[in-house]
Amino acid sequence: MDVGQQLRRLEARLSGEHEEHPPEVVHSFVDEALSRFTGARVSAFVPILVERRVRARMKPSPRPDRVDLPRGQAFALDSPYAEPMSLRTWAWFTAKRLLERELPRRWAHTRGVASTAARIAPLLPLADRQILIASAWLHDIGYAEDLIDTGFHQLDGARFLRREGIPVRVCALVAHHAGAAAVAELRGLAPQLAEFDDERSAVRDALWYSDMTTSPDGDPVVFADRMREIRSRRGPDDPVVRALDVNGDERAAAVRRTEELLWSGARLTAV
């Protein structure tokens, strides 16, 4: 059995032992530990060393921690982990902390969105993958009571992330996800939302796709069914529903572009 197979088995075993951690988080821990042993002379010992580091990292710690971010950014966080975390792991932990108990259905939806984003991420450039996954975990944290300011969850979530020193791309992706600009216009919050740039990229499309093909309970759904569910749940007077007349085509276009990306990835895999 080669090292890659051993590491995948390790991930499966750790995920089974620690059901509180999504497989995506376990995978990120393993990848980060593995990067420390690149070029090791004796590869046979690498899985053992990786497992040791990952288990140490998953061990609860009562002290505040640091989170290492791109470009050397770091900030304090009341984290249960014994070592610094990557951006996407911090994103998972923060979303879990803010949503799991207070808004369990929103947390279920978030987990589904992040799962879809993790499936798309390998089709993106390396630098974009962590940005997408982190944004997926964080996209709805603005619903948490402690973060509510304007009541516009995209904006409240993005402002919180900016205060925490999170990379500006993640803040902006959270701010503009799911056609937020049209909703902001209806709510008189367009100038505030303009604090964040809308990057209009494949990462943005993938985040929108992940959100708009995931039900409130975290299950995969087709885009049309998700739009019908939003209209039914929110009612015709809700700004989100009213904004669909403006941003519905833009939402659909983002979904189509991401589906094309997924199809192209599937074709390459099949070759």
Side-chain angles (χ1 to χ4, degrees), residues 27 57 73-74 93-94 109 119 137 152 169-170 184-185 195 224 248 250 265 269:
H27 177 70
R57 188 164 196 178
Q73 293 174 303
F93 173 76
T94 299
H109 167 73
R119 180 165 57 92
W137 282 116
F152 184 26
R169 283 190 72 194
V170 175
E185 286 285 351
E195 297 169 11
E250 187 178 19
T269 302

Side-chain angles (χ1 to χ4, degrees), residues 109-248:
H109 167 73
T110 296
R111 292 188 65 170
V113 172
S115 177
T116 299
R119 180 165 57 92
I120 301 168
L123 303 175
L124 298 173
L126 184 61
D128 290 339
R129 296 173 188 176
Q130 182 168 218
I131 295 294
L132 171 61
I133 294 171
S135 300
W137 282 116
L138 297 166
H139 79 286
D140 272 355
I141 61 171
Y143 283 111
E145 184 176 357
D146 287 348
L147 272 56
I148 294 174
D149 179 23
T150 65
F152 184 26
H153 81 276
Q154 288 102 321
L155 180 60
D156 291 343
R159 283 177 165 176
F160 164 78
L161 295 172
R162 183 172 60 189
R163 291 193 300 271
E164 293 295 310
I166 292 299
V168 65
R169 283 190 72 194
V170 175
C171 300
L173 286 162
V174 168
H176 284 278
H177 80 270
V183 182
E185 286 285 351
L186 291 172
R187 298 188 58 171
L189 291 169
Q192 290 87 334
L193 188 65
E195 297 169 11
F196 302 94
D197 292 332
D198 186 359
E199 68 174 55
R200 298 180 180 274
S201 66
V203 178
R204 173 210 199 232
D205 286 349
L207 178 61
W208 287 32
Y209 172 91
S210 300
D211 186 19
M212 293 183 292
T213 60
T214 303
S215 77
D217 296 309
D219 299 316
V221 294
V222 298
F223 172 70
D225 288 347
R226 177 80 160 111
M227 295 302 99
R228 281 192 288 269
E229 183 277 326
I230 288 173
R231 291 182 183 276
S232 174
R233 172 166 50 89
R234 289 182 173 272
D237 296 328
D238 189 289
V240 173
V241 174
R242 291 164 56 203
L244 290 176
D245 293 334
V246 177
N247 65 24

Side-chain angles (χ1 to χ4, degrees), residues 35-62:
S35 69
R36 295 176 178 266
F37 302 106
T38 301
R41 291 183 179 180
V42 184
S43 61
F45 293 116
V46 168
I48 298 172
L49 297 172
V50 167
E51 180 172 1
R52 185 177 300 169
R53 290 194 66 87
V54 173
R55 288 191 181 279
R57 188 164 196 178
M58 298 175 80
K59 183 178 180 181
S61 171

